[in-house]
Amino acid sequence: MGPPGLGGVALAGGLRPSFAQDKTLNYFTWSAWGDKQFVADAKENAGLDLKTTFYSSSDEMMAKLRGGGTRLYDMIVPVQNYVHLAAKAGLIEPMDPANLPNASLVFPEFQGTEDWSYEGKLYGVPFVWGANAIAFNRKETGDVTSMDPLFDPKYAGKIAMRDEPEDSLAVGAMRLGIEKPFQMGEAELQEVKKLLISQKPLVRSYWRDFADVRNMLASGEVVVAWTFLAVIAPLREAGIDAGWVWPKEGAVGWNEAVTPVKGTQNLALVEQYANHTLSAEFGEMMARTTRYAPASKAAVDKLEPEMVKDLGIDTSTISRLVFKQVPPDKARWNEIWNEVKAA
């Protein structure tokens, strides 16, 4: 994924201090999870002060941790496909399952998954899940059920795609009916490259910053985009008839959890916060604030049926998602994506 947000407080440089007494945690995360509502919630309901620094991609998260971030931060929120990489690289710390009693509230589909365990140790329990899929301006496109509008010349110059290899190459793979998008060999990568190069003249923007795609949809500059669910609420608040769909070809699934950074001196506090994010109260607040789906069934039970439907919270549909994986040859994926953009 990577959820978007509104802003935050940057952490000053220097080594990560220990704040065990005043319960301060240095939080390296997506901007959504460091937004003011979440900082206030941590203070009020968990007794913790969050000092936030943001990353905009999983690659940025990994690079900064490798570049000395393990001395600066106490916890991160990785996407599930980067947990094994981070654990193998010695960048994150395992947790004691006994300190996460709220894990029992989580949907069974997100309990004890291989993605969050490495060499028999637990590195997180998801508090949020969802899909990257299609947002559209219903007034301009009508109802959307497939990826067709992303490739339709009728919308030339009004289409936005994400500037991220794993998302956009997966879109191409699903469009072509490739069964395992994140396990593509060279021949399949070339097919996807050809498709996305043919799409390129139609694309207004390959976006990196969530605010950019949100603003383009809001202004009408773009009418259909591959993006995050969080664009929908602000667009509807602005009076735009914004639609959201997991297209019939598939959508890119993800889930995220709070994970301790290697060497944190505040492991107990990180576990305390991770457990808090699994609570019914946190999940309900998160859903109402961001419109992302809680992994906590207890949280979903607190939402109105209309909202549950609107958020697409139906674990029976998880089989329609292609959950993100790190490709076996990630460098080659990066090369292919750069070739698409340079074509």
Side-chain angles (χ1 to χ4, degrees):
M1 167 206 152
L6 303 176
V9 180
L11 177 67
L15 298 183
R16 172 184 60 205
S18 173
F19 287 106
Q21 289 187 334
D22 64 9
K23 295 191 174 182
T24 298
L25 290 172
N26 293 311
Y27 192 19
F28 191 34
T29 185
W30 304 96
S31 55
W33 311 133
D35 205 13
K36 59 184 180 181
Q37 298 97 323
F38 293 93
V39 173
D41 170 77
K43 180 69 172 178
E44 181 178 351
N45 297 311
L48 299 169
D49 291 311
L50 304 184
K51 302 300 181 185
T52 57
T53 306
F54 302 140
Y55 47 82
S56 60
S57 72
S58 295
D59 286 341
E60 180 186 354
M61 176 196 77
M62 293 289 288
K64 289 190 175 179
L65 289 179
R66 285 186 170 120
T70 54
R71 296 174 297 159
L72 299 174
Y73 310 118
D74 293 299
M75 58 186 183
I76 58 173
V77 180
V79 184
Q80 84 284 340
N81 57 320
Y82 276 79
V83 174
H84 286 197
L85 282 179
K88 187 176 181 179
L91 301 175
I92 55 178
E93 195 86 45
M95 290 187 281
D96 184 346
N99 294 330
L100 303 173
N102 285 338
S104 64
L105 304 176
V106 170
F107 283 106
E109 289 85 353
F110 299 112
Q111 291 189 31
T113 65
E114 292 182 3
D115 288 335
W116 291 97
S117 295
Y118 181 73
E119 295 185 342
K121 297 178 180 179
L122 180 70
Y123 287 87
V125 176
F127 67 86
V128 62
W129 69 284
N132 298 343
I134 296 175
F136 57 95
N137 185 326
R138 190 174 280 105
K139 180 181 177 181
E140 301 295 331
T141 65
D143 284 327
V144 171
T145 60
S146 74
M147 292 183 183
D148 287 354
L150 294 176
F151 297 86
D152 191 335
K154 179 167 61 175
Y155 304 114
K158 293 192 172 185
I159 296 167
M161 294 287 290
R162 190 179 181 194
D163 186 2
E164 202 252 21
E166 289 159 33
D167 248 39
S168 289
L169 295 187
V171 170
M174 289 186 288
R175 176 71 171 173
L176 293 172
I178 293 172
E179 187 175 348
K180 296 182 178 180
F182 293 103
Q183 302 295 321
M184 288 189 286
E186 183 63 25
E188 291 172 319
L189 283 170
Q190 290 299 327
E191 290 180 35
V192 169
K193 173 184 168 182
K194 182 179 179 181
L195 173 67
L196 295 180
I197 287 175
S198 72
Q199 181 205 34
K200 187 183 176 186
L202 310 179
V203 176
R204 175 75 175 188
S205 174
Y206 295 110
W207 64 272
R208 292 186 66 84
D209 191 311
F210 166 75
D212 291 339
V213 68
R214 180 189 62 202
N215 292 339
M216 286 187 289
L217 284 162
S219 69
E221 185 179 350
V222 161
V223 299
V224 60
W226 187 266
T227 183
F228 306 143
L229 173 61
V231 299
I232 298 300
L235 292 175
R236 289 178 178 171
E237 289 170 5
I240 296 168
D241 187 6
W244 174 258
V245 66
W246 295 3
K248 64 183 182 182
E249 296 91 341
V252 177
W254 53 267
N255 53 82
E256 297 176 351
V258 170
T259 298
V261 170
K262 186 70 174 180
T264 176
Q265 298 178 49
N266 295 313
L267 180 59
L269 296 183
V270 174
E271 291 177 329
Q272 178 184 332
Y273 187 65
N275 188 58
H276 173 64
T277 65
L278 303 176
S279 68
E281 294 74 20
F282 178 93
E284 179 189 12
M285 179 274 293
M286 179 197 70
R288 297 190 188 282
T289 300
T290 68
R291 304 191 71 79
Y292 281 115
S296 166
K297 183 180 184 303
V300 173
D301 289 343
K302 296 170 76 69
L303 303 175
E304 300 81 7
E306 296 80 8
M307 186 174 190
V308 172
K309 181 179 179 181
D310 194 37
L311 297 182
I313 302 174
D314 180 357
T315 56
S316 68
T317 65
I318 286 178
S319 61
R320 291 179 53 208
L321 299 179
V322 177
F323 276 90
K324 274 196 167 187
Q325 301 172 25
V326 176
D329 190 350
K330 182 168 171 52
R332 183 61 180 141
W333 276 54
N334 292 342
E335 290 173 0
I336 291 287
W337 181 237
N338 287 332
E339 289 168 8
V340 169
K341 293 190 294 180

